[in-house]
Amino acid sequence: MVIRNARFVPHHRPASAAALLAAAALVLAGCTVPTAEGDDGKTGEKFQVREPSGPALVLDSTDPAELALTASQAFFHASPIAVIASADDADARATAAATGAAVTAPVLLTDGGVSDSNVVAELERLGAGTVVVVGDEQAVAEVGPAAGEAKVVRFDPGALSAAAAAAASANGGSEDAEGGKGSAGSGKPAEAKVVLPTADRLHAADVDGLRADIPDVTDPELLQEILVAVDPQPGQEAAIGTALAAGAVPVEVPDGDVAADAKTVETIRALKPLGVVGIGGEFGAADDLGWQVAVATSGKTLPDGSLQLFPGRYVSTSYTVPAGIADPAVDAVRAVDAAATNGEVLGGSPLVLVTASLRSTAAGEDGDFVDEQPLEVLTPAVETIRDAGQIVLLDVAPGVQPLAAQLDELEPLLSKPGVGLSVHPEFRVAGNGADTGAVPVAELQEVVDRLAKLATAQGLPQIMLEVHQSTAASVVDRADLRIPSQVAVVFTAAGPGVGQATADGVWADVASGLPEHAVLGWSAPSEVPADATAILPTEPLLGLVSAG
């Protein structure tokens, strides 16, 4: 699925995260409205939430105050109210975040990476005439300069609500009496998690008392088709509270990896969000997060039901579906059986290569020195292998054209889950910016980027790209390759000949200086001993064994 442009659905925001998720399931198909704004019942001031830019957005600042400011800018056009607390006070941060969610207001922090003048400028942009300062009288005095000309209302609730206390107990009892979680100066471990700062973390009586002193935003229309992905960490409370105040639906994502957690994937698939905002650097780039949500929503999976290829090991076979045969589907059955056998012996999931193109001694009509196989010939073999629950790699031979030159013709097959690509930079013919037997890293990067774009556009699970090498130098400046989460790049250390194992020197060369996030492959001999552990390298970890 391609995540569509976000739209707004009017609703009353429920108090708890559980209620938010339940409500989201009911209204995601609701009517579209051009904007989301409401009138303040006392002053006529406007309240307006904002559509985050693009289908996916990541707010990744590590400074709590800066993160809070960017969240306010991302989720709110205008608000007559804002909540402020000190970034240095973990309890105040947590309370302010829950307060923002309770009274439908953005949450800002002082004493961090933004100056008081930055906070004042944001209040003026929002049109916030009232500022709720969380804390005692001293806190109000310290935060005062950041409130500018706005009216200041102090809010210092006495204790956590019963719901918040129960949540803290379920979380191991690590929260303190005010609802804060350990951070700088708190004495708590930095890796401690933060409970979602939902409105029910405050006593209803405290919130009712606060509402009597602030403008009443009547029946606000909030974002309901925007998902906010979080793995709550200390310092992120204010930004999360702002997202909840705007009506974004929260989904907790362990370690920021949507595709790796089956429960998260199931939740997102049920919600079908139109856009997603990740809070925290663990979500990576916006494109990566957008892909993970797109594939979770699409329902497309790899043969084993997962969305990611690794960690794990795959085993191919010396029996590659060749070019020019009468019945590719029948031949693919033989390859499937051989791959399954090798998988058992070598300890991995079976994988089959299908020859998509061959090197040619003649330039041919298109002058590329490559003989491509027709799509109608390749498709039956690919479908046979996929029906058997195995991964398929389309083996392409480069000629004088860049490695990505054949992707357009193969895109209908690469658009199927579990179908990847295998390339041979050492077979490259000189021309178009490359020397014989080597390609610049930019040429391989183009292949990676094209596959990543395809995965995101089609909502595909991770696509494998195998790069055969007998020397690391066949990809010039290989370490500079950027590998996004949509693509699993495997550098396979080649054997000296057909059916021969990778030599030690080749293994050492190809295995060193890998790009970040790359996986290693190794060529096994055609005749594999009964105890394959004796011949398999153990360091670095193998992701692919090419048996032959």
Side-chain angles (χ1 to χ4, degrees):
M1 161 189 165
V2 180
I3 300 180
R4 298 157 287 171
N5 288 330
R7 58 191 171 124
F8 301 111
V9 176
H11 70 289
H12 295 283
R13 182 179 51 77
S16 68
L20 274 167
L21 291 172
L26 295 176
V27 304
L28 284 182
C31 62
T32 303
V33 294
T35 187
E37 66 179 32
D39 287 324
D40 180 309
K42 294 181 179 179
T43 66
E45 294 175 288
K46 293 294 184 181
F47 166 91
Q48 189 176 8
V49 290
R50 131 180 256 168
E51 172 188 350
S53 58
L57 175 67
V58 175
L59 307 179
D60 59 0
S61 176
T62 57
D63 180 82
E66 185 178 56
L67 184 64
L69 178 63
T70 56
S72 176
Q73 293 168 341
F75 285 103
F76 280 86
H77 275 305
S79 176
I81 312 162
V83 180
I84 296 183
S86 171
D88 295 334
D89 188 333
D91 296 345
R93 290 198 313 262
T95 303
T99 303
V103 301
T104 320
V107 184
L108 300 170
L109 298 176
T110 62
D111 304 321
V114 298
S115 66
D116 287 348
S117 61
N118 293 139
V119 177
V120 171
E122 177 63 5
L123 294 175
E124 291 175 350
R125 184 192 70 83
L126 292 167
T130 300
V131 171
V132 176
V133 176
V134 173
D136 55 20
E137 294 290 351
Q138 181 179 349
V140 172
E142 291 174 351
V143 170
E149 299 298 319
K151 172 188 175 182
V152 173
V153 174
R154 184 172 71 88
F155 183 53
D156 192 12
L160 286 172
S161 69
S169 176
N171 196 46
S174 58
E175 288 211 356
D176 55 39
E178 294 295 328
K181 195 86 168 182
S183 184
S186 70
K188 306 286 186 181
E191 65 272 14
K193 298 290 183 180
V194 170
V195 177
L196 279 176
T198 51
D200 59 2
R201 297 181 55 70
L202 301 171
H203 281 294
D206 289 330
V207 176
D208 288 343
L210 173 62
R211 286 199 178 105
D213 295 327
I214 61 175
D216 180 19
V217 178
T218 304
D219 195 22
E221 294 175 341
L222 305 175
L223 293 174
Q224 182 68 76
E225 296 185 82
I226 298 296
L227 179 152
V228 58
V230 297
D231 182 22
Q233 305 292 330
Q236 297 176 358
E237 304 93 338
I240 296 172
T242 293
L244 300 186
V249 180
V251 173
E252 293 198 55
V253 182
D255 301 317
D257 194 347
V258 173
D261 185 71
K263 183 177 180 181
T264 301
V265 170
E266 182 181 351
T267 299
I268 293 174
R269 192 167 293 163
L271 294 179
K272 294 182 173 61
L274 300 188
V276 58
V277 178
I279 294 180
E282 59 271 27
F283 289 101
D287 286 347
D288 293 344
L289 178 60
W291 163 70
Q292 292 194 64
V293 174
V295 69
T297 306
S298 75
K300 299 175 182 177
T301 68
L302 295 167
D304 64 357
S306 67
L307 303 181
Q308 294 177 320
L309 290 155
F310 298 101
R313 177 184 293 167
Y314 295 85
V315 178
S316 66
T317 170
S318 57
Y319 198 103
T320 300
V321 178
I325 55 175
D327 194 336
V330 171
D331 207 63
V333 172
R334 301 190 186 103
V336 163
D337 292 340
T341 299
N342 279 357
E344 293 177 2
V345 175
L346 294 166
S349 302
L351 175 152
V352 175
L353 271 77
V354 174
T355 303
S357 61
L358 293 166
R359 286 187 297 168
S360 174
T361 56
E365 293 183 3
D366 53 8
D368 64 356
F369 291 90
V370 173
D371 288 333
E372 296 90 354
Q373 302 302 298
L375 201 64
E376 59 269 21
V377 172
L378 297 173
T379 301
V382 169
E383 290 302 333
T384 297
I385 298 163
R386 292 182 67 243
D387 289 345
Q390 297 185 3
I391 296 290
V392 184
L393 292 184
L394 301 175
D395 192 74
V396 296
V400 72
Q401 298 296 326
L403 295 175
Q406 299 174 52
L407 289 185
D408 286 341
E409 288 76 13
L410 296 176
E411 186 170 308
L413 293 178
L414 292 169
S415 296
K416 299 177 183 293
V419 179
L421 197 68
S422 182
V423 298
H424 304 261
E426 289 166 13
F427 295 162
R428 180 76 155 83
V429 179
N432 293 290
D435 297 325
T436 297
V439 302
V441 70
E443 190 167 306
L444 184 60
Q445 188 70 59
E446 182 183 4
V447 177
V448 172
D449 294 345
R450 287 277 301 274
L451 294 177
K453 183 178 180 180
L454 180 65
T456 300
Q458 300 288 339
L460 296 171
Q462 202 172 42
I463 300 175
M464 187 185 299
L465 170 62
E466 182 186 23
V467 184
H468 290 270
Q469 292 192 286
S470 61
T471 171
S474 65
V475 178
V476 182
D477 296 326
R478 184 184 67 165
D480 294 336
L481 185 72
R482 302 181 309 278
I483 303 176
S485 56
Q486 298 96 316
V487 184
V489 179
V490 182
F491 288 94
T492 297
V498 176
Q500 298 181 20
T502 301
D504 290 343
V506 172
W507 171 252
D509 180 37
V510 175
S512 63
L514 287 170
E516 190 176 4
H517 306 306
V519 181
L520 269 173
W522 178 83
S523 295
S526 295
E527 297 297 327
V528 179
D531 182 11
T533 58
I535 65 170
L536 292 175
T538 56
E539 292 290 340
L541 189 66
L542 273 181
L544 173 65
V545 178
S546 178

